Structures are given as structure tokens and as C-alpha cells.
Amino acid sequence: MTTAQHESPTSRPAAGMRVALMATCLTDTLYPHTARAVVTLLERLGCTVEFPLSQTCCGQMHFNTGYRDDATRLASRMNEVFDGYTAVVAPSGSCAAMVRDIYPKLPGVGEDLAHRMYELSEFLVDVLGVTDVGAYFPHRVTYHPTCHSLRMLGVGERPLQLLRAVRGIDLIELPAAESCCGFGGTFAVKNAETSSAMLSDKMRCVLNTGAEVLTAGDNSCLMHIGGGLSRLRTGVHTLHLADILASTEEDPWHVTQ
Amino acid sequence: MARNPVTWMGVPTFPKAAQEALGDSQLRSNLRHATHTIRDKRAAAVGEVPDWERLRRAGEAIKDETLAHLDTYLQKLEAAVTSRGGVVHWARDAAEANAIVLKLARAAGADEVVKVKSMATAEIGLNEALEEGGVTAIETDLAELIVQLGNDRPSHILVPAIHRNRSEVREIFRNQMPEAPADLSSEPKALAEAARRHLRKKFLSAKVAVSGANFAVADTGSIMVVESEGNGRMCLTLPQTLITVMGIEKLVPTSRDLEVFLQLLPRSSTAERMNPYTSMWTGVTPGDGPQEFHLILLDNGRTATLSDPVGRQALRCIRCSACLNVCPVYERTGGQSYGSVYPGPIGAILTPQLVDDPHDKQAASLPFASSLCGACFEVCPVRIDIPEVLTHLRARAVAEKSKMSPEALAMSAMATMFADPRKYALAQRAGAAAAKLAPSGSVSRLPFPGSRWTATRDMPMPATESFRTWWKTNRKDSDE
């Protein structure tokens, strides 16, 4: 499958592959365009995408806040929802990490789904073997590598490989990229002042790049940083990696989206 | 049971203490500078070692093996120390350990003891206990001395005065050190020289020294202290009586195991290939060095920690403080916000376990003082999965709370909503309807507890059409 990397981006490396989309509750509710972008992108690459409608939330917020019984209940549900799919793809490093790292430790949940779970950039690069997805995005972009993608999943260079292959993009390195943005789920509320202090340093780094768009593989971190950037009226947009990769010359991303 | 002094009396919960610290811009600037410098140096020092990951795994394995058979190794250690002329004491808690040290100091006729920097003695509040008993404890490590003279509290494991800059140190010395020259400058060299002169007299007159231990070797009874300034070696060799207070988890089975830790520790803590001074002693040697050696084996919550299969990995800690230097929370709040001698990520998991009191609100707030970014686990030389223990302790804190607390009720309501796709879709539609009140697509002011978010961040509103609604409208044929 890795040979597909060198083929033309218009080829369909995944011809007919059946993929289940785990949209995540946050993206489903607040950023539906990102989930649609994942569908567009995967279909463009030849996948057959399915969206089991009974999916809701992976339980990460409950787990990380200490509510293990609730988390286990939600994890067991997701296990059933995605039963039978050989590949489940999520546009979220932290939700994918929840399934991959935490589910096996929850009573009665097991490792089955963990083995079939992919974060979007992992799925594209490792399973489909593509780094050039035929995207076009003529904007100045900087990339924040989100903590769970970086350290729990170890997605490494994959998102950057994908971004570098985007036509028209002006990709700028983010200073102190590996520093946490301060979101951390309920941390942002429980320790709001500390979280805000972390956020202001992250925003300063983003603004120093002069980027028009900040991207990441997780809408939760983008919600946090974007919420700060919006409050300061910086004009910098936050946009999920999937939205950039789905953008093409025929159907480009517009600021109004 | 007496209060365990591992946490400081009167310190508020973490979020409150942090809020105060965050307002101190000098502190934040001191910390940012110090942590970033040491962080970069550590990365370089670790990068030089080709088998770092194997070393980490070896360190983890040795510590886990020791912890799994702690009783056996401790008895071995006791027998070895005793056979070499040392005396072993067992202390269940801080009060017992402090009483033993005080008794020994008095027996040696000392009204002053010199101290090697030691986390164990800080943990039990030894200096304060000695003071109450009429014995003055003198810290000889430069940073500890700064904290002691400044009547301050430590804020870092390795560099307890990391929150102070040079000019602050100069002020402390000028006010508290009688022999400090009137024209003392804030040059590091001048400050070190002043401390040196001050301490030299103490080293030469002290009858008793108190130390901690970095490592103890079970099969030989040897104790090891590693340090950078040479003050430790003075304490360990000059006085007649040496008292070592050591947490029961600090031992390793054999001398050979030290090979691993002497590579892991200096690179992780000071970013050095090798620490400048490594002192090792075994019992007493007639005519050379201290002629009386007492080893106090301190429990103080460690046995309770050991009984927790997830939490016990915190006992692997070799006190390098690498996790503090990379922690984004520590970097902003400083160590004193943690209200304990063990700050930062390791403090957030070690302190509540040593305190072992579910009703202690301050200790219970510590596992929540993290964004779970995982940088601490990445640098830990003995692979303590700090995020794992954090979420484990959060679950423990939640279990102690009322199921009727506003948070518990909200969490339960959300779980019930998420457990039923119809209720979930209904909630989405309600959110989308509410979003019409905010035509900009985001809100800048939410009622409590959302106000904690919107104090500095806008909150996006639910989309008018959720993804699932879009899917049902456009793609449903291909699904269920």
C-alpha cells in the first residue's frame, strides 16, 4: 500500500475500503464541517465511509475528570457501536488516544476497538499510504501538534508530511510548538487562571508566526486556542487539519465556512 | 494521628494558590527563564546517550523489583548497616523520625547540626522540629540556605530557591548573613563566596550532620549521596556523628544497580554527564570520618502508597525534578502553589498519596493541577506514568466526594445523555436553537461555571446543523 505514496494524488489508493467515521461529540456538535471534510477526503481517496448514528461520546472527559463508571459505560457503548468495522477513523488525537490507551484499561471494555482505531493522519499515512491527498490551500498556516497526538499516539511528522504536500500552502513553523495550549478538558475550568496563562503564551507564539490559519489534529485544542484568538480579535482562524486536506482548487475553503 | 507535614499548613487548594502566584510577574519571569534553560540542557545531555530508553527501562525494572520485595531488601539493608557498625532506626511517621534525630543530636551534645540537602528531612519538617527542641539546623546547600535565610518555602526539588533571582538572593544575604560584606554584589561568584565563608565556620564546628540518601545498597549497607557543591561531602566527613534519614523506597538491591542510576540521575536533574560529588559510606570506619552512624528508615505514608497497584509507581521517583522543568503548569504557577515540599507533576501524585487523607482538600486538589499533556512522563528517567496516576488519583478524589455535588450531578447527567443517541441528538438540537441567540457563532459571557471559560476565551456555539443531522439528510441510505 505504501507505493501509493508516489502515485498521482488523483488516484484512489483506498479503492472500496470500508471505514467507520468516529466524528467525536465535539466535532459533531460544534464543528460539523470537519466531519464532512473527513468524509469528502476519505471518499476522494476511494474509501466507503460509514457513520454509525448510534455513536455519541468516547467518555474521555468523564475518565480524565475522575468519573470512571460513567467513562466505562460510554466506552462499552462505543465498543458496540463500532463492532465489525476493520478501521475506525477519528479526526481527534485525544479521542483516538482514549480508545487506544485507556479503553484496554477499563473493566470489560478490552483491546478490540483499540487495535482498529486510527487518528486521521495515521490512517492516511500508515494505512492508505498517502501523504499527498491532492489538497489546495493557498494560505499562510502554522501547525500545533496537540499533546495527545504528540505523546500518547506518537503521530510524529505525519500531519506535517500531509501539510507539506498541500499545494499553495505557506507552512510556517510554530515556536514552542510542543508546549501544551492549556486546554486539558475540565482543567480549563477547574484551573482556569493557569489554563489562561498557558493559552496566552501559545497565542503569542501563533501571532509571532504571522499565520492566517492555525491548524491541528484536534478540534478541542483548536476550540481553546481559537476561543482566545477570537476574544483578542486577532483575525487568526483556527481550522482542523481535515478541513485543509479536503480543500481543493475546485472546492476551496472559504473564510466564511 | 498527627498531621503529616508533607503538606504545609494554611496553604489553600491548588487553583487558589496558583491564582496568587500567576499574578506575580517577577516569579513567572524567573521561572520561565530557569525552567527553559535547564529543559534545553537536559534534552542535550540525554540526547548524547544512545541507549537512553534502555537505561530508563532498566531504572524502572530495578525500582519495581525493589518495591516488590521491599521488606526483604530493607531487612538485608538493616543487617548490613548493623554489621558495619551503624545503628538502624525505624520511623513510622514524621513525629517518630524527628524525635529520633533530636534525641541523637542531644546525646551527641550538639545544639547545632549541619545538613546536607535532603527531601526526606524537608518532608518531615525536621528543621522546625529540631528548633522546637532547642537544636539549630543549618542548611549547607546554597539554594536551601537561601530558602532558610529568607524564611521562605522551597519551590523546586533540586533548586528550592528557583523562584528567586540574583538580586533577591543578594538582599536575603545582606539582611540575614552577619558576615556578608556591605558592598555585596549580585554576581553569582560573589554570592557563592559569601555563602562559602558563612558555611565554612559551621562545617568546622558541627558535631552532628544530618543527611538524606539518594541510594542505599541493600546487600552492602552502603549509603550514597550525590551533589554539586561539595557541601555535602564536608557534612558527611567532618562531624563525629552522622544521621541519615531515608525514605524506605530509596534502596537498590546491589552496588551494580547504581551504574544505571548514576547515568539517569545527573543527566535528568542537572543536565550533567556526571554529578561533581558522589559520596558513599558504609557503617563507620575507625579513625576516619564520622565515628557514629545512624540510619533512620522513614515510612511516612510509603507503605500505604505501596499498597496501591497504580499509585505505587510514584515510589520509583529518584527526585531528579525533570518533570518539574518541563511541566507547563509548574512553569506558570511555581512550586509553592502545590503546598508541599514535592511540587510539580511528581508532587501532584506523590503528595496526596503520602498524605493519605481523603478529606484533605488541598492534597485532593493536586491531581487536578495538570492538563495531562504528558511531558512529565516523556522525561521521567524511571518511566513513572504520571498522567496515569493523576487520573487514577482523580478517580479516588471523586469517589470521596458526594454523588450529589453539582459536578457529580452534571457529569452523571451528561453521561446519561451520551448513553442515549436520541437524548444526545435532542440536546444538540436544543443547543442549536440556543445558538440562534448568538448570531456571531460564539459567546463571550456564559453563566457560572462556564464563566470560568469565558473569562478569557470565547465559546463556540453549536452549529445550526450537526454533522449527524447532515448525514441523516444526505447520506442515510448508506448507513443503518
Side-chain angles (χ1 to χ4, degrees), chain B residues 17 19 57 66 68 88 106 116 121 159 168 171 189 230 259 278 280 322 359 374 396 401 420 429 433 456:
Chain B
Q19 201 175 349
R57 289 194 184 268
T66 313
V88 175
R106 280 178 175 158
V116 188
T121 61
V159 203
E168 290 173 290
E171 282 312 300
K189 201 175 157 190
E259 157 201 16
T278 303
M280 206 169 177
H359 304 296
R396 242 167 61 170
K401 266 201 323 207
D420 182 342
R429 283 202 289 279
T456 56

Side-chain angles (χ1 to χ4, degrees), chain B residues 416-465:
Chain B
T416 304
M417 182 264 292
F418 283 134
D420 182 342
R422 275 168 309 178
K423 283 186 186 149
Y424 168 74
L426 208 65
Q428 274 184 331
R429 283 202 289 279
K436 293 199 175 113
L437 301 171
S440 69
S442 65
V443 277
S444 303
R445 233 167 121 181
L446 284 172
F448 185 83
S451 55
R452 307 271 298 146
W453 175 280
T454 52
T456 56
R457 299 154 283 217
D458 289 341
M459 186 72 196
M461 292 302 282
T464 44
E465 185 188 45

Side-chain angles (χ1 to χ4, degrees), chain B residues 146-168:
Chain B
I146 294 166
V147 170
Q148 187 176 43
L149 291 179
N151 202 15
D152 197 0
R153 279 165 167 168
S155 64
H156 192 277
I157 291 174
L158 180 76
V159 203
I162 196 170
H163 56 295
R164 298 292 200 181
N165 64 21
R166 287 195 237 159
S167 50
E168 290 173 290

Side-chain angles (χ1 to χ4, degrees), chain B residues 80-372:
Chain B
V81 169
T82 310
S83 74
R84 301 294 192 101
V87 183
V88 175
H89 310 257
W90 299 78
R92 268 174 300 199
D93 56 23
E96 281 190 13
N98 290 333
I100 297 168
V101 179
L102 185 61
K103 200 179 88 188
L104 292 170
R106 280 178 175 158
D111 53 10
E112 212 174 72
V113 302
V114 285
K115 284 189 69 205
V116 188
K117 179 176 167 13
S118 140
M119 292 310 293
T121 61
E123 173 191 324
I124 58 177
L126 177 66
N127 295 7
E128 294 74 13
L130 288 177
E131 201 69 56
E132 271 175 38
V135 175
T136 308
I138 295 155
E139 294 291 349
T140 67
D141 170 84
L142 184 54
E144 286 285 5
L145 181 68
I146 294 166
V147 170
Q148 187 176 43
L149 291 179
N151 202 15
D152 197 0
R153 279 165 167 168
S155 64
H156 192 277
I157 291 174
L158 180 76
V159 203
I162 196 170
H163 56 295
R164 298 292 200 181
N165 64 21
R166 287 195 237 159
S167 50
E168 290 173 290
V169 173
R170 183 185 62 164
E171 282 312 300
I172 292 170
F173 281 10
R174 281 216 309 213
N175 296 332
Q176 300 295 328
M177 217 180 248
E179 57 278 73
D183 61 345
L184 180 66
S185 82
S186 61
E187 283 305 305
K189 201 175 157 190
L191 295 172
E193 184 58 26
R196 199 184 171 91
R197 287 179 186 280
H198 171 76
L199 289 172
R200 186 57 52 120
K201 282 184 285 183
K202 307 288 182 189
F203 288 133
L204 294 172
S205 63
K207 291 183 186 138
V208 175
V210 178
S211 84
N214 286 102
F215 305 101
V217 180
D219 66 357
T220 62
S222 309
I223 312 293
M224 178 181 273
V225 162
V226 298
E227 40 128 5
S228 298
E229 297 168 17
N231 64 299
R233 180 157 297 174
M234 302 285 261
C235 295
L236 297 167
T237 51
L238 291 173
Q240 280 297 296
T241 301
L242 173 58
I243 306 167
T244 297
V245 183
M246 176 190 123
I248 51 171
E249 82 286 15
K250 296 251 103 179
L251 77 176
V252 295
T254 72
S255 311
R256 186 153 178 202
D257 300 318
L258 296 170
E259 157 201 16
V260 172
F261 296 106
L262 287 179
Q263 294 182 74
L264 288 172
L265 180 55
R267 285 183 199 261
S268 300
S269 61
T270 50
E272 289 169 308
R273 294 175 180 143
M274 186 76 224
N275 48 285
Y277 295 87
T278 303
S279 302
M280 206 169 177
W281 66 97
T282 309
V284 291
T285 308
D288 184 18
Q291 295 301 294
E292 246 191 74
F293 170 57
H294 296 270
L295 177 63
I296 302 173
L297 295 170
L298 174 73
D299 186 319
N300 207 36
R302 286 162 176 76
T303 306
T305 306
L306 194 59
S307 69
D308 183 321
V310 177
R312 69 168 65 125
Q313 56 186 308
L315 295 178
R316 281 188 215 137
C317 178
I318 55 173
R319 314 282 189 259
C320 73
S321 65
C323 63
L324 278 62
N325 300 329
V326 297
C327 177
V329 173
Y330 177 89
E331 183 189 330
R332 273 72 179 197
T333 64
Q336 293 182 350
S337 302
Y338 294 80
S340 159
V341 295
Y342 300 112
I346 186 64
I349 62 168
L350 190 59
T351 297
Q353 295 197 89
L354 293 182
V355 168
D356 196 27
D357 175 4
H359 304 296
D360 185 325
K361 282 192 176 151
Q362 191 270 336
S365 74
L366 296 178
F368 295 90
S370 165
S371 64
L372 302 177

Side-chain angles (χ1 to χ4, degrees), chain A residues 22 58 88 90 92-105 110-120 122-123 126 148-149 152-155 158:
Chain A
M22 186 174 125
C58 69
V88 181
S92 162
S94 68
C95 302
M98 174 70 189
V99 172
R100 183 129 14 118
D101 281 16
I102 307 296
Y103 276 21
K105 295 177 185 169
E111 296 187 5
D112 181 41
L113 183 54
H115 293 308
R116 298 177 283 124
M117 185 77 233
Y118 298 93
E119 180 272 340
L120 179 65
E122 291 177 328
F123 183 75
D126 299 351
H148 285 178
S149 296
M152 282 180 90
L153 292 179
V155 302
R158 294 175 186 87

Side-chain angles (χ1 to χ4, degrees), chain A residues 21 23 25 28-32 35-36 39 43 49-57 61-68 70 73-74 77 85 105 147-148 151 179-180 183-184 186-201 223-224 227-228 230-231, chain B residues 14-15 18-19 22 28 32 328-329 332-333 368-375 378 388 391-392 394-395 398 401 407-408 411-412 414-416 418-419 421 424 428 444 449 452-463 465-468 470-472 475-476 479-480:
Chain A
L21 168 63
C25 57
D28 178 15
T29 309
L30 299 178
Y31 305 98
R36 291 207 301 273
V39 175
E43 288 182 346
V49 181
E50 295 185 25
F51 179 76
L53 279 161
S54 50
Q55 66 177 284
T56 56
C57 165
M61 181 184 71
H62 286 88
F63 180 83
N64 282 352
T65 313
Y67 293 84
R68 292 226 162 162
D70 291 331
R73 177 153 67 119
L74 295 175
R77 275 202 72 248
Y85 293 99
K105 295 177 185 169
C147 300
H148 285 178
R151 302 197 184 88
S179 291
C180 177
F183 175 50
T186 47
F187 171 78
V189 174
K190 282 178 182 279
N191 284 280
E193 290 81 9
T194 307
S195 165
S196 296
M198 290 158 72
L199 172 62
S200 60
D201 289 343
M223 173 177 77
H224 186 240
S230 151
R231 172 61 55 89
Chain B
F14 184 84
Q19 201 175 349
L22 286 162
R28 277 180 71 182
R32 184 183 308 134
V329 173
R332 273 72 179 197
T333 64
F368 295 90
S370 165
S371 64
L372 302 177
C373 84
E378 195 173 52
E388 181 186 26
T391 54
H392 172 74
R394 288 177 183 189
V398 164
K401 266 201 323 207
E407 182 190 280
M411 284 288 174
S412 163
M414 285 184 83
T416 304
F418 283 134
Y424 168 74
Q428 274 184 331
S444 303
R452 307 271 298 146
W453 175 280
T454 52
T456 56
R457 299 154 283 217
D458 289 341
M459 186 72 196
M461 292 302 282
E465 185 188 45
S466 70
F467 174 73
R468 70 183 48 236
W470 177 85
W471 182 272
K472 270 200 268 192
R475 300 296 183 95
K476 205 176 172 208
D479 190 51
E480 301 176 329

Side-chain angles (χ1 to χ4, degrees), chain A residues 1 20 26 44 47 61 67 71 82 124 126 141 163 170 177 194 196 227 247 253:
Chain A
M1 259 185 267
L26 191 91
R44 203 164 79 211
C47 295
M61 181 184 71
Y67 293 84
F82 290 103
L124 295 173
D126 299 351
V141 176
L163 283 169
D170 180 10
T194 307
S196 296
S247 169
W253 171 74

